[in-house]
Amino acid sequence: MTNNWTILVFLALFSGLANGFLSCEQCLSSGNHYCADSKLCNTPICVNTITQALNCPRAPNATYDDHEARTKWLPLFGAGATNEKMAQKCFDNNWPTMKLSKRILVNCSDPSPILPNTQCAMLTAVDTTQRILVMSFRATYGNTQLGEEVLNYFVGKKQFFDVGMIFEFFYNAYVALWRGGLEQEIRNLKYKYPDYELWVTGHSLGAALASVGASWVVKSGIFLPNSVKVFTAGQPRTGDYNYALWHQNTFAYSFRVVHHHDIVPHVPFQYEVVDHDKMYHHRTEVWYNNDMSEGSTYQICPEADGLYCVNQQVDLSWNDHTHYFNTDLNVYGDQGCPKKQ
């Protein structure tokens, strides 16, 4: 009898240990929770519990480069926020081999008999020296457009190909740009420069459109995921769980930079009482919990959209949303993206 009990206890302990060392994804698929603190499966006491595969901790597949962010990505979304003349000045001041190809400006208003028309804008550019194509999308422009976005967070989602749902406002805005000249432009550029990388970027609304745009050209078969880089700043939650999971499993190079207490990455808030089909961020968040001046530290966040990094903040800031890399984005592009000394 004693021997039998010894065997049963041993088997129970062995089973528990084996279960404990499962990967996060294996743990969740077995119906258990994963503990981010102990990095073990189904531990009885755990402060940071993970219950969704989207948030299983992992390092990014690409390397984040703060210097590249300041000297290349920042001027790209600065250029996307202004007119043709100042956009090229942004390139001349920071990236002389990059040349503006086309600026697209379309009506992307939410249909309303009351609100005035609002416009969405983006540009394409080409660097034949470094073999790079660019799509850069403009941020929210004016209080009317901001109001449309906020109201649409509580209205509707649209199916995005076969990989989940995205907000209707983002979907419609991107389709307006796509039909307003972007499709022909990007197909022409791809035909002319078939082996170039595509860099896709934007801030705020432009960040959401960059996420959608990179996904669109891949789902349309124009670009392969490994030739696309996505870099956004101050991105709101753009799609549902399935979209976020597909995006982060598709793009090796995809970074969402978040400044300090920026309010917009919290929008829409993840409360089911407000939005029953919750929306999620995709990886990889890079969080600067400071003023983002030169030499500032940053954190590569292990979860896509868990209680890490900026999601821990409750004192939210609009000023942090408009200032990235110690730069006022409200005026940066229109000033020609002056080079930092």
Side-chain angles (χ1 to χ4, degrees):
M1 184 70 174
T2 303
N3 288 338
N4 290 339
W5 274 110
T6 302
I7 293 171
L8 288 173
V9 170
F10 173 79
L11 289 174
L13 289 172
F14 179 80
S15 176
L17 286 171
N19 191 49
F21 291 117
L22 293 175
S23 70
C24 177
E25 289 83 357
Q26 291 170 332
C27 178
L28 298 183
S29 66
S30 68
N32 294 304
H33 70 264
Y34 184 81
C35 185
D37 309 304
S38 64
K39 296 182 173 57
L40 294 174
C41 181
N42 214 32
T43 52
I45 300 175
C46 182
V47 176
N48 296 303
T49 300
I50 294 174
T51 58
Q52 296 171 314
L54 179 81
N55 285 325
C56 282
R58 74 176 191 218
N61 294 321
T63 301
Y64 178 77
D65 186 331
D66 175 81
H67 177 72
E68 183 178 80
R70 296 173 187 276
T71 59
K72 289 191 173 180
W73 291 105
L74 175 62
L76 286 183
F77 54 75
T82 189
N83 58 47
E84 290 93 335
K85 179 180 178 181
M86 300 312 289
Q88 187 57 56
K89 189 172 182 180
C90 282
F91 298 145
D92 293 341
N93 285 337
N94 298 275
W95 193 342
T97 53
M98 185 65 71
K99 304 300 179 185
L100 176 69
S101 179
K102 186 178 182 68
R103 185 171 187 258
I104 299 170
L105 185 69
V106 298
N107 175 16
C108 61
S109 302
D110 177 42
S112 170
I114 301 173
L115 295 175
N117 287 343
T118 58
Q119 294 180 315
C120 291
M122 62 85 61
L123 63 74
T124 59
V126 183
D127 182 341
T128 56
T129 301
Q130 300 185 45
R131 305 168 73 84
I132 295 171
L133 305 176
V134 168
M135 296 196 307
S136 179
F137 295 85
R138 188 175 73 181
T140 303
Y141 193 76
N143 290 331
T144 300
Q145 190 168 71
L146 178 62
E148 290 180 0
E149 288 179 56
V150 172
L151 290 174
N152 270 270
Y153 286 138
F154 310 109
V155 177
K157 323 292 190 300
K158 277 199 173 180
Q159 183 69 37
F160 186 78
F161 293 86
D162 58 349
V163 294
M165 310 283 284
I166 63 174
F167 273 114
E168 185 173 29
F169 184 87
F170 300 149
Y171 184 96
N172 291 343
Y174 183 80
V175 169
L177 289 163
W178 187 248
R179 294 174 177 171
L182 178 55
E183 178 179 15
Q184 181 178 355
E185 167 71 0
I186 206 66
R187 289 187 184 278
N188 287 344
L189 290 175
K190 178 64 174 175
Y191 180 79
K192 190 173 182 180
Y193 309 104
D195 57 348
Y196 281 25
E197 280 188 340
L198 175 66
W199 289 24
V200 190
T201 193
H203 164 251
S204 191
L205 167 62
L209 293 178
S211 172
V212 174
S215 303
W216 191 286
V217 297
V218 167
K219 291 301 293 183
S220 298
I222 303 172
F223 286 87
L224 295 174
N226 61 5
S227 65
V228 179
K229 292 183 176 180
V230 188
F231 186 103
T232 68
Q235 182 179 335
R237 291 188 173 98
T238 304
D240 66 4
Y241 183 92
N242 290 334
Y243 173 78
L245 189 62
W246 172 84
H247 186 284
Q248 67 187 39
N249 288 338
T250 299
F251 296 99
Y253 190 107
S254 181
F255 291 108
R256 290 186 304 102
V257 177
V258 180
H259 178 208
H260 206 31
H261 297 166
D262 184 349
I263 187 173
V264 171
H266 295 267
V267 178
F269 297 98
Q270 284 192 326
Y271 298 130
E272 292 193 23
V273 67
V274 175
D275 188 357
H276 64 87
D277 33 75
K278 296 169 67 174
M279 309 302 265
Y280 291 85
H281 280 304
H282 48 70
R283 297 179 198 274
T284 295
E285 181 184 337
V286 181
W287 184 43
Y288 288 78
N289 190 21
N290 44 55
D291 66 359
M292 293 191 78
S293 58
E294 187 79 32
S296 292
T297 59
Y298 55 87
Q299 183 176 345
I300 304 293
C301 305
E303 296 186 19
D305 202 5
L307 292 176
Y308 274 76
C309 297
V310 77
N311 281 348
Q312 301 173 88
Q313 306 307 307
V314 293
D315 52 332
L316 307 180
S317 166
W318 182 257
N319 187 67
D320 285 352
H321 179 63
T322 58
H323 290 74
Y324 271 74
F325 300 104
N326 203 29
T327 299
D328 183 353
L329 299 182
N330 287 323
V331 298
Y332 176 61
D334 289 340
Q335 293 176 344
C337 306
K339 190 171 184 177
K340 299 287 185 178
Q341 300 299 321

